[in-house]
Amino acid sequence: MDTLTVEQPIHIGRNIKGVRELRGWTQEELGTKLGSTKQAVSKLEQSEDIGEARLISVAEALEVTVE
């Protein structure tokens, strides 16, 4: 019997939150690095998808690649 594999879409916000937590940073600390607020980071982490320019700036702040 063949198994159908359904690929789940990537939730960018969850990935951002995961990396932030691995770094031991608070939302406020990431917000400071982005020139933003804790509330903006919270909203970002709840987003399934974000724009490319914003993703690049978040990746640089987290010291990771966009991939």
Side-chain angles (χ1 to χ4, degrees):
M1 180 175 189
D2 291 333
T3 304
L4 179 63
T5 304
V6 177
E7 195 170 313
Q8 296 292 327
I10 297 172
H11 191 289
I12 300 296
R14 286 190 198 126
N15 289 350
I16 292 169
K17 180 179 181 180
V19 174
R20 176 184 59 77
E21 289 177 340
L22 284 172
R23 296 257 186 262
W25 296 350
T26 63
Q27 288 179 335
E28 188 172 2
E29 289 171 316
L30 179 55
T32 299
K33 291 178 180 293
L34 292 170
S36 189
T37 63
K38 174 184 174 182
Q39 292 80 6
V41 172
S42 176
K43 186 175 179 180
L44 182 69
E45 291 179 351
Q46 294 173 31
S47 301
E48 244 180 88
D49 194 22
I50 62 173
E52 185 177 345
R54 185 71 170 150
L55 181 60
I56 290 169
S57 65
V58 171
E60 288 173 355
L62 288 170
E63 302 168 3
V64 295
T65 63
V66 172
E67 290 79 28

